[in-house]
Amino acid sequence: MTTPEQAPGRAPVPKEGTGTAPDAGLERWRLVLGSAAERHTGPLGPGNAGRDAALDWLYGRDPDLARRGVRRSGTTSREGGDGPSAVTAIDWLDDIHRLFPKETIERLERDAVEKYGIQEIVTDPAVLERVEPSQTLLRAVLRTKHLMNPQVLRLARRIVESVVKQLLARLRPEVRQAFHGTRSRRPSRVPLARDFDFRQTVKASLAHYQPAERRLLIERAHFHSRTRRHVTQWQLILLVDQSGSMAGSVIHSAVTAACLWGLPGLKTHLVAFDTQVVDLTADVSDPVELLMRVQLGGGTDIARAVEYGAGLVENPRRTIVALITDFYEGGDPYRLVRAVRGLVEQGSTVLGLAPLDEDAEPDYDRLTAGQLASAGAHIGAMTPGRLAEFVAERLGR
């Protein structure tokens, strides 16, 4: 009689007391390299056999790895027949949540969705009810929501709401703190620790230095003052590329715009684009609804988006245009350079960001980015918090 633990393809339940424990280091290499390495590392113990089955269910389908013999091509046949049912995505999710730590689970789910296109994870209602919300799954929802029926879409919205809530909780304090006021060169009588002027305090206290004790006596601490920045209205125009590779930046742009929305002295716009331009400013206060409106994929016409953004400018010298894209222009690159140069020449600050997310690891077309830099744009990568600091510094001038 076959028990659930013996069902082909399911990750076995680790058992205790089955003999000499295998070498942990060799087992780790065996898990990494697959069955092809077993003649060198020895077989896996029961504790890791389940992990190997779960890894093989996912990575065993990689044709390149199978060709190279790094991993076998799957522990269970995916062909029809009258044998036991094949492992489903929901079985696999149950297994990895039982067998792996949280960081590994997130990586496995990301590879399942983004590398191998196992879309059941975000389109099967039974899976969506169990899955743990994460940014990986949110990106997958944004890519596939146009395929979802109303029932699945309602469940997917739970993922959007949960991840947005987490991001807002993490980013809102960071963004808001940037707008508490910038330090100025003027002294302040208000003794706040965050405004402590270390250099001036030490300079003013040098007369009280005691060489024998190597101690500096501070007679009076000095502090910076902070400028007020709610006098003149500024504009921040976020132009966000919604092509498939920019999913992370779309998410963080929506959340950043929500954090900045309603701050005194700042008028925030959010515009998404591919070959068309969609102004999402009306939904900025509700980032969940905004993201449910975004449609990832399609071509890219950056020039059209920049021209649209230029039409929103009210006071050029009080405007920051943040172009968030990988700079792979599907339209006319010369038209794009002209549009950016026009914004710069009229006095607007143009940022070209690739990307805007918490990692700020750029992957972009360096030729186009270089042309925009020559036209006067500031090119780089920023986290949402750093963008908020940049805007706050401009508003404080």
Side-chain angles (χ1 to χ4, degrees):
M1 178 176 178
T2 300
T3 65
E5 290 82 359
Q6 297 168 326
R10 285 307 302 273
V13 177
K15 297 180 180 178
E16 303 296 333
T18 55
T20 305
D23 181 274
L26 290 176
E27 278 203 300
R28 185 177 294 273
W29 276 111
R30 164 62 182 81
L31 285 171
V32 171
L33 298 174
S35 60
E38 198 160 291
R39 66 181 182 272
H40 300 291
T41 64
L44 291 169
N48 277 319
R51 296 183 180 90
D52 185 60
L55 291 172
D56 198 61
W57 183 89
L58 179 62
Y59 297 110
R61 66 191 67 217
D62 191 316
D64 183 57
L65 293 179
R67 177 181 57 79
R68 290 158 47 200
V70 179
R71 295 198 65 85
R72 57 190 181 276
S73 58
T75 56
T76 59
S77 171
R78 293 178 175 84
E79 299 175 357
D82 56 3
S85 59
V87 177
T88 64
I90 196 167
D91 294 330
W92 178 74
L93 282 170
D94 285 343
D95 288 339
I96 66 172
H97 279 264
R98 175 169 54 84
L99 295 168
F100 293 101
K102 185 175 185 294
E103 295 78 7
T104 306
I105 292 168
E106 291 176 352
R107 174 58 187 268
L108 292 172
E109 289 178 341
R110 181 168 71 248
D111 285 350
V113 173
E114 297 183 352
K115 187 173 182 179
Y116 298 107
I118 305 174
Q119 301 297 355
E120 308 98 277
I121 293 177
V122 288
T123 57
D124 185 331
V127 177
L128 282 172
E129 287 177 343
R130 298 190 186 199
V131 76
E132 186 70 23
S134 67
Q135 290 190 45
T136 293
L137 295 177
L138 174 52
R139 288 193 294 269
V141 166
L142 296 185
R143 291 191 181 104
T144 59
K145 60 187 173 63
H146 63 289
L147 304 173
M148 299 177 182
N149 61 45
Q151 177 196 5
V152 175
L153 202 57
R154 283 194 297 272
L155 292 170
R157 190 181 181 96
R158 176 184 71 90
I159 293 176
V160 179
E161 291 172 346
S162 177
V163 176
V164 167
K165 183 178 179 181
Q166 294 169 14
L167 286 172
L168 282 171
R170 188 156 66 246
L171 295 180
R172 182 169 277 147
E174 186 178 356
V175 169
R176 296 286 171 139
Q177 180 161 347
F179 284 81
H180 283 170
T182 55
R183 291 175 176 176
S184 73
R185 296 175 182 270
R186 294 174 299 176
S188 171
R189 295 178 179 273
V190 182
L192 294 177
R194 65 190 177 97
D195 296 334
F196 179 64
D197 188 341
F198 176 82
R199 185 183 298 273
Q200 183 59 32
T201 299
V202 170
K203 183 178 179 180
S205 304
L206 288 176
H208 305 291
Y209 180 62
Q210 300 178 339
E213 300 181 16
R214 302 182 66 183
R215 185 169 60 174
L216 181 69
L217 300 180
I218 297 176
E219 185 177 50
R220 183 171 72 88
H222 292 257
F223 298 87
H224 294 285
S225 68
R226 289 196 175 245
T227 59
R228 297 182 60 85
R229 57 167 53 85
H230 304 322
V231 179
T232 306
Q233 183 82 0
W234 275 73
Q235 276 181 287
L236 172 63
I237 302 172
L238 296 169
L239 304 175
V240 187
D241 186 341
Q242 61 178 353
S243 59
S245 61
M246 297 296 293
S249 291
V250 171
I251 294 166
H252 284 86
S253 296
V255 174
T256 302
C259 295
L260 295 171
W261 184 256
L263 286 175
L266 183 65
K267 183 177 182 180
T268 303
H269 305 259
L270 182 62
V271 177
F273 68 90
D274 41 40
T275 54
Q276 303 296 320
V277 175
V278 182
D279 195 326
L280 300 171
T281 303
D283 290 319
V284 163
S285 60
D286 184 355
V288 174
E289 185 60 36
L290 188 153
L291 288 172
M292 295 303 288
R293 285 189 57 193
V294 167
Q295 185 60 64
L296 296 178
T300 309
D301 190 340
I302 309 174
R304 173 177 289 190
V306 173
E307 289 172 350
Y308 180 88
L312 298 175
V313 175
E314 296 169 1
N315 182 346
R317 297 189 179 280
R318 297 284 179 176
T319 299
I320 300 169
V321 178
L323 176 61
I324 302 162
T325 179
D326 54 14
F327 301 103
Y328 288 101
E329 174 63 294
D332 184 347
Y334 300 104
R335 178 179 158 208
L336 170 60
V337 172
R338 284 197 305 271
V340 168
R341 182 178 289 114
L343 281 168
V344 172
E345 288 177 349
Q346 70 181 5
S348 298
T349 299
V350 180
L351 295 177
L353 303 181
L356 176 70
D357 60 28
E358 291 176 288
D359 297 324
E361 295 180 355
D363 179 13
Y364 60 99
D365 183 337
R366 284 166 169 72
L367 176 60
T368 301
Q371 291 173 337
L372 298 188
S374 297
H378 304 272
I379 305 297
M382 287 186 180
T383 63
R386 180 65 191 100
L387 175 61
E389 291 175 7
F390 183 91
V391 175
E393 288 169 4
R394 286 296 187 276
L395 268 65
R397 290 182 173 181

